[in-house]
Amino acid sequence: MAFFILTGLFVLLSVSQQARGQNYTFMREATHAPPVAYYDYIVIGGGTAGCPLAATLSRRYRVLVLERGGSPYDDDRVLNMAHFADVLSDTSASSPSQRFVSEEGVINSRPRVLGGGSCLNAGFFSRAGAGYVRAAGWDAREVLSAYRWVEDVVAFQPELGPWQAAVRRGLLETGVVPDNGFTYDHIPGTKVGGSIFDPEGRRHTAADLLRYSRPEGIDVLLRARVARILFSYKGTKPVARGVVYRDSQGIIHVAYLNQGDANEIILSAGALGSPQLLMLSGVGPADHLRSYGLDVVVDNSEVGQGMSDNPMNAIFVPSPSPVELSLIQVVGITRFGSYIEGASGSDWTTRTASTSTGTPERSFGMFSPQTGQLSTVPPKQRTPEAIARAVEAMSRVPDAAMRGGFILEKVLGPQSAGSLALRNLDPDDNPVVSFNYFAHPDDLRRCVAGIEEIERVIRSRAFARFAYPNFAFPAMLNVTAEFPVNLMRANVRGGSDPVALERFCRDTVMTIWHYHGGCQVGRVVDRDYRVLGIDALRVIDGSTFNASPGTNPQATVMMLGRYHSPLNLLPNFEQPPWIN
């Protein structure tokens, strides 16, 4: 039973809908690109930051976007929430989701699609807090303008069902106050946040922001895998001049910057891709680069440092009453440094006709023994006989056991940090990354406090309809601890004392896809996001964050692409006539 219940954390809801495509005239396969081309700006990575960045730059300049993945509009699974888990569990070379496992054994997903992480995540949309904006040195008025520019296209107000409403009331009853209603703002207390899924269940990604582009000012190349950045020198100082990339057939192309002091290459390849590409281009720790035979352009030992991921722990709460299918819609922003959220589903599995017998079979999404990312059958042992045994064991679990939801806690701004290093010279392979979850005792303290808050919510009067009476919370922890959520060995058994809860936090830690760092401000880039020691090269994405903003970073990453474009267009930006 424990094997597959956690599917519900990822398969958050199932909504029938038709994926809406975009027919961008400026988007094409990299195989159609010329061998050599020239642009004013080259953006490496058409992700959550890269799309709004490129759209803004295109209003005045010629911009090239190099995206290593394909189009989200060609993959119905990306835009259809019914196939949310299918994307995450697809480990093929063409999948929009590239699996990686941290050195601690926590399984994660790296986007490989135009629109980046906004094509894979659970859709929660919330701005950074005012204190975060001040600490970053951003202009609050222009930041708000950039958020609204994004929200006009991708953000929506969700409608709460009974289970989510009960979580909200439970948080308020247990003291996570005030009630802030629906808001994108980051305010302590309980609120309903935004979603990038519209009322019909369609996902709206950062790729949708490319509709703001001037079509004549932008080229978007798909399946363009950047190998390295090219440099020239001004005196002794390196200057970024171009990039080398391969198309899907392995053909090499080169894109150069046009002559001009303002022209730049901008890395927006994400918290894994940006530090990795800097290293592959000769920017990073000298000894590490030389060990791979790379020429050192700039010796900077801070490249790849400060890697953090907000640790998340979830508790499955079986329900005596039917519950709606829901995304994370409500968040409790506590004053002890933990966020409390929830996701529910009436049945975490689906039934499809067997390809061999035609009879209904249960599918468990990314936990399926056939294709599951976290299947208990190891990949090298997935013989037909082993898979058949796993399917048979799962089929015996009653449907009623699937009814319920998860309440999770996530540590705000973890103080634990790790590092990233090259694994090899293949830019498409995953680097070696460690997040050092719970290395700092304060992170562990906040996790324990979050778990204790979850228990109070489950026991609240407001949540009584969706929790069995007289439940044993330690037993609930034990069941949850059996889920195969990571590659660590779980040791949790009983008890809700601080020591047992600390062990629960360590043994059941998961990601919620909020990893950041590797090219941090003050360490790798300056406050204008220019790479230290190099001209004409910036990094604009989540790798620059010293802490994850708000309860969810995607709104701020999109905002950053708009706000920190090298252009100062924001105050007087006029919506182009081709935008409806």
Side-chain angles (χ1 to χ4, degrees):
M1 170 181 175
F3 168 71
F4 47 81
I5 293 179
L6 193 69
T7 307
L9 185 59
F10 298 97
V11 190
L12 296 168
L13 56 87
S14 176
V15 179
S16 297
Q17 52 103 46
Q18 292 183 346
R20 186 194 63 186
Q22 287 284 355
N23 185 25
Y24 292 136
T25 58
F26 48 77
M27 182 174 68
R28 64 185 187 277
E29 292 288 327
T31 51
H32 298 297
V36 179
Y38 294 83
Y39 290 86
D40 299 325
Y41 285 90
I42 300 171
V43 178
I44 302 174
T48 314
C51 287
L53 169 66
T56 300
L57 288 169
S58 74
R59 297 289 293 129
R60 191 171 293 177
Y61 295 105
R62 284 282 293 147
V63 181
L64 173 64
V65 178
L66 298 171
E67 169 51 47
R68 71 190 186 111
S71 168
Y73 308 114
D74 295 337
D75 192 330
D76 290 348
R77 301 171 306 170
V78 170
L79 303 182
N80 186 335
M81 286 188 288
H83 298 290
F84 182 56
D86 296 342
V87 176
L88 293 171
S89 64
D90 181 358
T91 57
S92 69
S94 61
S95 172
S97 173
Q98 181 177 0
R99 172 183 174 176
F100 76 94
V101 182
S102 74
E103 293 302 288
E104 300 87 357
V106 173
I107 297 168
N108 214 318
S109 295
R110 177 185 181 188
R112 182 169 49 197
V113 60
L114 186 71
S118 66
C119 297
L120 306 181
N121 64 29
F124 198 66
F125 191 97
S126 182
R127 299 170 182 166
Y132 192 100
V133 171
R134 287 193 299 271
W138 299 336
D139 182 285
R141 172 182 281 180
E142 292 191 1
V143 163
L144 180 59
S145 174
Y147 273 126
R148 288 175 173 168
W149 181 85
V150 170
E151 290 157 8
D152 283 346
V153 174
V154 306
F156 304 87
Q157 178 178 353
E159 182 177 349
L160 299 189
W163 193 88
Q164 287 280 351
V167 172
R168 179 186 184 188
R169 293 193 305 271
L171 285 165
L172 293 169
E173 181 183 323
T174 57
V176 186
V177 293
D179 182 355
N180 294 309
F182 167 72
T183 180
Y184 295 132
D185 290 335
H186 184 83
I187 311 169
T190 296
K191 75 166 190 174
V192 179
S195 176
I196 62 173
F197 290 100
D198 67 20
E200 285 72 45
R202 295 174 301 189
R203 183 191 291 270
H204 295 256
T205 77
D208 288 6
L209 297 171
L210 289 171
R211 70 181 68 180
Y212 282 120
S213 302
R214 180 173 62 92
E216 297 79 14
I218 186 171
D219 287 325
V220 176
L221 298 183
L222 303 176
R223 281 171 270 273
R225 294 170 169 85
V226 174
R228 67 185 184 277
I229 301 167
L230 303 174
F231 299 96
S232 61
Y233 285 86
K234 184 188 296 182
T236 60
K237 190 172 187 180
V239 181
R241 286 303 183 205
V243 299
V244 177
Y245 65 97
R246 294 180 183 271
D247 62 30
S248 60
Q249 297 180 0
I251 305 300
I252 295 176
H253 304 255
V254 182
Y256 292 106
L257 291 177
N258 287 323
Q259 293 296 320
D261 292 337
N263 298 346
E264 293 180 344
I265 294 170
I266 303 177
L267 262 173
S268 294
L272 269 62
S274 288
Q276 180 187 29
L277 280 171
L278 282 180
M279 290 183 188
L280 290 173
S281 303
V283 181
D287 290 344
H288 181 59
L289 301 185
R290 292 191 183 107
S291 72
Y292 284 93
L294 295 167
D295 294 331
V296 179
V297 176
V298 170
D299 178 9
N300 186 341
S301 62
E302 299 295 333
V303 176
Q305 297 302 305
M307 298 298 299
S308 292
D309 188 20
N310 294 67
M312 186 266 285
N313 298 82
I315 296 174
F316 180 71
V317 185
S319 173
S321 302
V323 298
E324 77 271 12
L325 293 157
S326 71
L327 288 162
I328 296 172
Q329 298 172 337
V330 173
V331 59
I333 303 175
T334 71
R335 298 189 182 276
F336 52 77
S338 182
Y339 303 133
I340 311 299
E341 302 169 352
S344 62
S346 59
D347 185 347
W348 298 116
T349 67
T350 57
R351 293 187 180 272
T352 57
S354 168
T355 55
S356 58
T357 67
T359 58
E361 285 186 350
R362 297 172 76 182
S363 171
F364 297 89
M366 66 186 297
F367 282 79
S368 164
Q370 294 95 333
T371 61
Q373 239 182 329
L374 307 184
S375 172
T376 55
V377 181
K380 293 183 180 180
Q381 300 176 24
R382 289 180 190 172
T383 63
E385 293 78 14
I387 290 174
R389 286 194 298 270
V391 171
E392 172 61 24
M394 295 165 75
S395 68
R396 292 194 295 266
V397 178
D399 288 348
M402 300 289 91
R403 191 169 61 199
F406 285 88
I407 302 180
L408 62 92
E409 71 80 32
K410 179 183 66 180
V411 172
L412 174 156
Q415 298 186 53
S416 305
S419 61
L420 177 149
L422 295 176
R423 185 184 305 276
N424 51 44
L425 297 179
D426 183 353
D428 226 28
D429 201 358
N430 291 317
V432 177
V433 60
S434 170
F435 297 114
N436 286 336
Y437 296 100
F438 298 120
H440 195 286
D442 194 52
D443 295 345
L444 203 55
R445 176 192 63 79
R446 289 182 287 171
C447 177
V448 169
I451 299 298
E452 291 171 338
E453 173 60 28
I454 291 174
E455 180 177 8
R456 288 190 290 271
V457 171
I458 296 171
R459 293 188 184 279
S460 68
R461 293 187 303 276
F463 202 72
R465 173 183 169 189
F466 298 108
Y468 286 96
N470 304 315
F471 73 94
F473 190 68
M476 192 175 295
L477 294 180
N478 290 341
V479 171
T480 304
E482 293 177 3
F483 300 161
V485 298
N486 56 42
L487 303 184
M488 305 175 190
R489 180 169 179 168
N491 298 306
V492 178
R493 282 296 176 270
S496 55
D497 60 278
V499 173
L501 292 182
E502 286 182 0
R503 193 160 55 245
F504 178 86
C505 289
R506 291 184 186 278
D507 288 347
T508 66
V509 63
M510 292 176 283
T511 185
I512 198 164
W513 310 296
H514 295 173
Y515 52 92
H516 54 279
C519 297
Q520 291 177 322
V521 173
R523 304 174 78 174
V524 177
V525 299
D526 64 19
R527 295 193 54 109
D528 291 320
Y529 295 79
R530 297 185 179 93
V531 176
L532 299 172
I534 302 177
D535 284 345
L537 181 63
R538 299 191 201 220
V539 181
I540 298 178
D541 60 24
S543 71
T544 64
F545 291 160
N546 294 303
S548 183
T551 55
N552 184 299
Q554 77 165 333
T556 302
V557 176
M558 291 189 208
M559 181 282 297
L560 186 72
R562 169 64 173 170
Y563 171 82
H564 244 296
S565 160
L567 298 180
N568 187 22
L569 293 180
L570 292 173
N572 302 311
F573 182 80
E574 294 181 0
Q575 185 165 281
W578 55 85
I579 304 298
N580 292 328

mmCIF file of all heavy atoms in Angstrom, residues 381-409:
data_model
loop_
_atom_site.group_PDB
_atom_site.id
_atom_site.type_symbol
_atom_site.label_atom_id
_atom_site.label_comp_id
_atom_site.label_asym_id
_atom_site.label_seq_id
_atom_site.Cartn_x
_atom_site.Cartn_y
_atom_site.Cartn_z
ATOM 1 N N GLN A 381 16.658 -4.799 -12.537
ATOM 2 C CA GLN A 381 15.941 -6.017 -12.151
ATOM 3 C C GLN A 381 14.513 -6.032 -12.684
ATOM 4 O O GLN A 381 13.696 -6.840 -12.248
ATOM 5 C CB GLN A 381 15.928 -6.146 -10.627
ATOM 6 C CG GLN A 381 17.310 -6.236 -10.014
ATOM 7 C CD GLN A 381 17.250 -6.264 -8.503
ATOM 8 O OE1 GLN A 381 16.249 -6.649 -7.908
ATOM 9 N NE2 GLN A 381 18.341 -5.852 -7.865
ATOM 10 N N ARG A 382 14.188 -5.136 -13.621
ATOM 11 C CA ARG A 382 12.824 -5.056 -14.114
ATOM 12 C C ARG A 382 12.584 -6.081 -15.220
ATOM 13 O O ARG A 382 12.316 -5.746 -16.373
ATOM 14 C CB ARG A 382 12.520 -3.630 -14.593
ATOM 15 C CG ARG A 382 12.408 -2.661 -13.429
ATOM 16 C CD ARG A 382 12.117 -1.245 -13.884
ATOM 17 N NE ARG A 382 12.260 -0.321 -12.755
ATOM 18 C CZ ARG A 382 12.221 1.000 -12.869
ATOM 19 N NH1 ARG A 382 12.057 1.559 -14.042
ATOM 20 N NH2 ARG A 382 12.368 1.763 -11.820
ATOM 21 N N THR A 383 12.692 -7.331 -14.842
ATOM 22 C CA THR A 383 12.366 -8.412 -15.766
ATOM 23 C C THR A 383 10.848 -8.502 -15.882
ATOM 24 O O THR A 383 10.111 -8.026 -15.009
ATOM 25 C CB THR A 383 12.914 -9.745 -15.236
ATOM 26 O OG1 THR A 383 12.258 -10.044 -13.997
ATOM 27 C CG2 THR A 383 14.409 -9.661 -15.018
ATOM 28 N N PRO A 384 10.338 -9.111 -16.930
ATOM 29 C CA PRO A 384 8.879 -9.272 -17.047
ATOM 30 C C PRO A 384 8.277 -9.974 -15.828
ATOM 31 O O PRO A 384 7.180 -9.636 -15.382
ATOM 32 C CB PRO A 384 8.726 -10.109 -18.320
ATOM 33 C CG PRO A 384 9.934 -9.771 -19.143
ATOM 34 C CD PRO A 384 11.045 -9.581 -18.141
ATOM 35 N N GLU A 385 8.997 -10.957 -15.279
ATOM 36 C CA GLU A 385 8.481 -11.684 -14.130
ATOM 37 C C GLU A 385 8.412 -10.775 -12.900
ATOM 38 O O GLU A 385 7.424 -10.801 -12.144
ATOM 39 C CB GLU A 385 9.373 -12.889 -13.830
ATOM 40 C CG GLU A 385 9.354 -13.967 -14.906
ATOM 41 C CD GLU A 385 10.213 -13.601 -16.102
ATOM 42 O OE1 GLU A 385 11.030 -12.643 -15.984
ATOM 43 O OE2 GLU A 385 10.071 -14.248 -17.150
ATOM 44 N N ALA A 386 9.467 -9.957 -12.677
ATOM 45 C CA ALA A 386 9.481 -9.057 -11.520
ATOM 46 C C ALA A 386 8.386 -8.010 -11.640
ATOM 47 O O ALA A 386 7.702 -7.676 -10.664
ATOM 48 C CB ALA A 386 10.852 -8.385 -11.398
ATOM 49 N N ILE A 387 8.188 -7.485 -12.846
ATOM 50 C CA ILE A 387 7.142 -6.487 -13.055
ATOM 51 C C ILE A 387 5.768 -7.107 -12.822
ATOM 52 O O ILE A 387 4.889 -6.501 -12.199
ATOM 53 C CB ILE A 387 7.250 -5.886 -14.468
ATOM 54 C CG1 ILE A 387 8.504 -5.007 -14.559
ATOM 55 C CG2 ILE A 387 6.002 -5.078 -14.820
ATOM 56 C CD1 ILE A 387 8.783 -4.487 -15.957
ATOM 57 N N ALA A 388 5.571 -8.318 -13.296
ATOM 58 C CA ALA A 388 4.282 -8.993 -13.109
ATOM 59 C C ALA A 388 3.988 -9.195 -11.628
ATOM 60 O O ALA A 388 2.841 -9.023 -11.188
ATOM 61 C CB ALA A 388 4.286 -10.330 -13.846
ATOM 62 N N ARG A 389 5.012 -9.552 -10.851
ATOM 63 C CA ARG A 389 4.809 -9.739 -9.411
ATOM 64 C C ARG A 389 4.431 -8.412 -8.747
ATOM 65 O O ARG A 389 3.563 -8.371 -7.872
ATOM 66 C CB ARG A 389 6.074 -10.312 -8.773
ATOM 67 C CG ARG A 389 6.310 -11.787 -9.095
ATOM 68 C CD ARG A 389 7.366 -12.381 -8.172
ATOM 69 N NE ARG A 389 8.654 -11.727 -8.329
ATOM 70 C CZ ARG A 389 9.601 -12.104 -9.196
ATOM 71 N NH1 ARG A 389 9.378 -13.147 -9.999
ATOM 72 N NH2 ARG A 389 10.747 -11.475 -9.246
ATOM 73 N N ALA A 390 5.078 -7.314 -9.161
ATOM 74 C CA ALA A 390 4.774 -6.011 -8.572
ATOM 75 C C ALA A 390 3.361 -5.561 -8.923
ATOM 76 O O ALA A 390 2.625 -5.039 -8.087
ATOM 77 C CB ALA A 390 5.791 -4.968 -9.043
ATOM 78 N N VAL A 391 2.960 -5.773 -10.175
ATOM 79 C CA VAL A 391 1.606 -5.414 -10.597
ATOM 80 C C VAL A 391 0.572 -6.197 -9.810
ATOM 81 O O VAL A 391 -0.443 -5.663 -9.362
ATOM 82 C CB VAL A 391 1.438 -5.638 -12.111
ATOM 83 C CG1 VAL A 391 -0.026 -5.480 -12.522
ATOM 84 C CG2 VAL A 391 2.310 -4.680 -12.898
ATOM 85 N N GLU A 392 0.814 -7.481 -9.608
ATOM 86 C CA GLU A 392 -0.115 -8.325 -8.867
ATOM 87 C C GLU A 392 -0.247 -7.855 -7.425
ATOM 88 O O GLU A 392 -1.354 -7.775 -6.870
ATOM 89 C CB GLU A 392 0.352 -9.778 -8.902
ATOM 90 C CG GLU A 392 -0.430 -10.730 -8.007
ATOM 91 C CD GLU A 392 -1.902 -10.811 -8.372
ATOM 92 O OE1 GLU A 392 -2.246 -10.514 -9.548
ATOM 93 O OE2 GLU A 392 -2.720 -11.161 -7.501
ATOM 94 N N ALA A 393 0.887 -7.511 -6.789
ATOM 95 C CA ALA A 393 0.843 -7.049 -5.399
ATOM 96 C C ALA A 393 0.064 -5.745 -5.290
ATOM 97 O O ALA A 393 -0.732 -5.548 -4.362
ATOM 98 C CB ALA A 393 2.258 -6.863 -4.865
ATOM 99 N N MET A 394 0.262 -4.838 -6.243
ATOM 100 C CA MET A 394 -0.423 -3.551 -6.198
ATOM 101 C C MET A 394 -1.916 -3.695 -6.472
ATOM 102 O O MET A 394 -2.727 -2.957 -5.928
ATOM 103 C CB MET A 394 0.224 -2.600 -7.207
ATOM 104 C CG MET A 394 1.666 -2.270 -6.865
ATOM 105 S SD MET A 394 2.548 -1.516 -8.249
ATOM 106 C CE MET A 394 1.853 0.115 -8.233
ATOM 107 N N SER A 395 -2.277 -4.660 -7.311
ATOM 108 C CA SER A 395 -3.684 -4.808 -7.674
ATOM 109 C C SER A 395 -4.540 -5.263 -6.506
ATOM 110 O O SER A 395 -5.762 -5.110 -6.531
ATOM 111 C CB SER A 395 -3.810 -5.805 -8.835
ATOM 112 O OG SER A 395 -3.459 -7.108 -8.408
ATOM 113 N N ARG A 396 -3.926 -5.828 -5.469
ATOM 114 C CA ARG A 396 -4.684 -6.317 -4.331
ATOM 115 C C ARG A 396 -5.075 -5.227 -3.336
ATOM 116 O O ARG A 396 -5.868 -5.461 -2.436
ATOM 117 C CB ARG A 396 -3.887 -7.407 -3.611
ATOM 118 C CG ARG A 396 -3.741 -8.691 -4.417
ATOM 119 C CD ARG A 396 -3.258 -9.844 -3.544
ATOM 120 N NE ARG A 396 -1.919 -9.619 -3.046
ATOM 121 C CZ ARG A 396 -0.814 -10.058 -3.637
ATOM 122 N NH1 ARG A 396 -0.901 -10.738 -4.778
ATOM 123 N NH2 ARG A 396 0.376 -9.836 -3.106
ATOM 124 N N VAL A 397 -4.530 -4.044 -3.496
ATOM 125 C CA VAL A 397 -4.838 -2.953 -2.574
ATOM 126 C C VAL A 397 -6.213 -2.378 -2.923
ATOM 127 O O VAL A 397 -6.482 -2.050 -4.080
ATOM 128 C CB VAL A 397 -3.773 -1.850 -2.648
ATOM 129 C CG1 VAL A 397 -4.135 -0.694 -1.727
ATOM 130 C CG2 VAL A 397 -2.410 -2.420 -2.292
ATOM 131 N N PRO A 398 -7.132 -2.267 -1.960
ATOM 132 C CA PRO A 398 -8.481 -1.764 -2.264
ATOM 133 C C PRO A 398 -8.467 -0.301 -2.676
ATOM 134 O O PRO A 398 -7.631 0.486 -2.228
ATOM 135 C CB PRO A 398 -9.234 -1.960 -0.938
ATOM 136 C CG PRO A 398 -8.164 -1.986 0.100
ATOM 137 C CD PRO A 398 -6.976 -2.617 -0.539
ATOM 138 N N ASP A 399 -9.422 0.074 -3.525
ATOM 139 C CA ASP A 399 -9.517 1.456 -3.981
ATOM 140 C C ASP A 399 -9.708 2.421 -2.814
ATOM 141 O O ASP A 399 -9.222 3.554 -2.844
ATOM 142 C CB ASP A 399 -10.684 1.622 -4.963
ATOM 143 C CG ASP A 399 -10.398 0.988 -6.311
ATOM 144 O OD1 ASP A 399 -9.223 0.626 -6.551
ATOM 145 O OD2 ASP A 399 -11.334 0.857 -7.107
ATOM 146 N N ALA A 400 -10.422 1.989 -1.786
ATOM 147 C CA ALA A 400 -10.707 2.880 -0.659
ATOM 148 C C ALA A 400 -9.432 3.364 0.026
ATOM 149 O O ALA A 400 -9.401 4.450 0.610
ATOM 150 C CB ALA A 400 -11.601 2.171 0.358
ATOM 151 N N ALA A 401 -8.377 2.549 -0.061
ATOM 152 C CA ALA A 401 -7.120 2.944 0.576
ATOM 153 C C ALA A 401 -6.481 4.132 -0.119
ATOM 154 O O ALA A 401 -5.604 4.799 0.444
ATOM 155 C CB ALA A 401 -6.145 1.772 0.584
ATOM 156 N N MET A 402 -6.931 4.415 -1.337
ATOM 157 C CA MET A 402 -6.348 5.517 -2.098
ATOM 158 C C MET A 402 -6.996 6.858 -1.782
ATOM 159 O O MET A 402 -6.533 7.894 -2.239
ATOM 160 C CB MET A 402 -6.504 5.253 -3.607
ATOM 161 C CG MET A 402 -5.829 3.996 -4.106
ATOM 162 S SD MET A 402 -4.030 4.155 -4.103
ATOM 163 C CE MET A 402 -3.649 3.524 -2.469
ATOM 164 N N ARG A 403 -8.071 6.855 -1.037
ATOM 165 C CA ARG A 403 -8.819 8.086 -0.802
ATOM 166 C C ARG A 403 -8.166 8.897 0.313
ATOM 167 O O ARG A 403 -7.959 8.396 1.419
ATOM 168 C CB ARG A 403 -10.268 7.746 -0.429
ATOM 169 C CG ARG A 403 -11.195 8.948 -0.421
ATOM 170 C CD ARG A 403 -12.634 8.493 -0.309
ATOM 171 N NE ARG A 403 -12.863 7.753 0.914
ATOM 172 C CZ ARG A 403 -13.888 6.929 1.123
ATOM 173 N NH1 ARG A 403 -14.758 6.718 0.152
ATOM 174 N NH2 ARG A 403 -14.039 6.302 2.276
ATOM 175 N N GLY A 404 -7.884 10.136 0.021
ATOM 176 C CA GLY A 404 -7.261 10.986 1.026
ATOM 177 C C GLY A 404 -6.440 12.074 0.383
ATOM 178 O O GLY A 404 -6.644 12.430 -0.777
ATOM 179 N N GLY A 405 -5.493 12.603 1.136
ATOM 180 C CA GLY A 405 -4.660 13.678 0.630
ATOM 181 C C GLY A 405 -3.369 13.781 1.416
ATOM 182 O O GLY A 405 -3.170 13.098 2.419
ATOM 183 N N PHE A 406 -2.496 14.641 0.940
ATOM 184 C CA PHE A 406 -1.233 14.900 1.603
ATOM 185 C C PHE A 406 -1.246 16.296 2.206
ATOM 186 O O PHE A 406 -1.739 17.247 1.585
ATOM 187 C CB PHE A 406 -0.072 14.816 0.611
ATOM 188 C CG PHE A 406 0.291 13.431 0.214
ATOM 189 C CD1 PHE A 406 -0.334 12.808 -0.853
ATOM 190 C CD2 PHE A 406 1.263 12.734 0.908
ATOM 191 C CE1 PHE A 406 -0.005 11.523 -1.229
ATOM 192 C CE2 PHE A 406 1.603 11.438 0.542
ATOM 193 C CZ PHE A 406 0.975 10.838 -0.525
ATOM 194 N N ILE A 407 -0.710 16.405 3.393
ATOM 195 C CA ILE A 407 -0.374 17.712 3.938
ATOM 196 C C ILE A 407 1.142 17.709 4.098
ATOM 197 O O ILE A 407 1.717 16.765 4.649
ATOM 198 C CB ILE A 407 -1.079 17.991 5.276
ATOM 199 C CG1 ILE A 407 -2.598 17.905 5.095
ATOM 200 C CG2 ILE A 407 -0.699 19.372 5.795
ATOM 201 C CD1 ILE A 407 -3.392 18.174 6.358
ATOM 202 N N LEU A 408 1.751 18.717 3.591
ATOM 203 C CA LEU A 408 3.210 18.747 3.557
ATOM 204 C C LEU A 408 3.745 20.008 4.218
ATOM 205 O O LEU A 408 3.053 21.012 4.345
ATOM 206 C CB LEU A 408 3.708 18.650 2.115
ATOM 207 C CG LEU A 408 3.306 19.766 1.140
ATOM 208 C CD1 LEU A 408 4.337 20.879 1.102
ATOM 209 C CD2 LEU A 408 3.093 19.202 -0.257
ATOM 210 N N GLU A 409 4.985 19.907 4.661
ATOM 211 C CA GLU A 409 5.684 21.078 5.144
ATOM 212 C C GLU A 409 6.966 21.233 4.338
ATOM 213 O O GLU A 409 7.576 20.255 3.903
ATOM 214 C CB GLU A 409 5.989 20.980 6.645
ATOM 215 C CG GLU A 409 7.040 19.976 7.039
ATOM 216 C CD GLU A 409 8.448 20.471 6.819
ATOM 217 O OE1 GLU A 409 8.684 21.686 6.949
ATOM 218 O OE2 GLU A 409 9.324 19.637 6.510
#
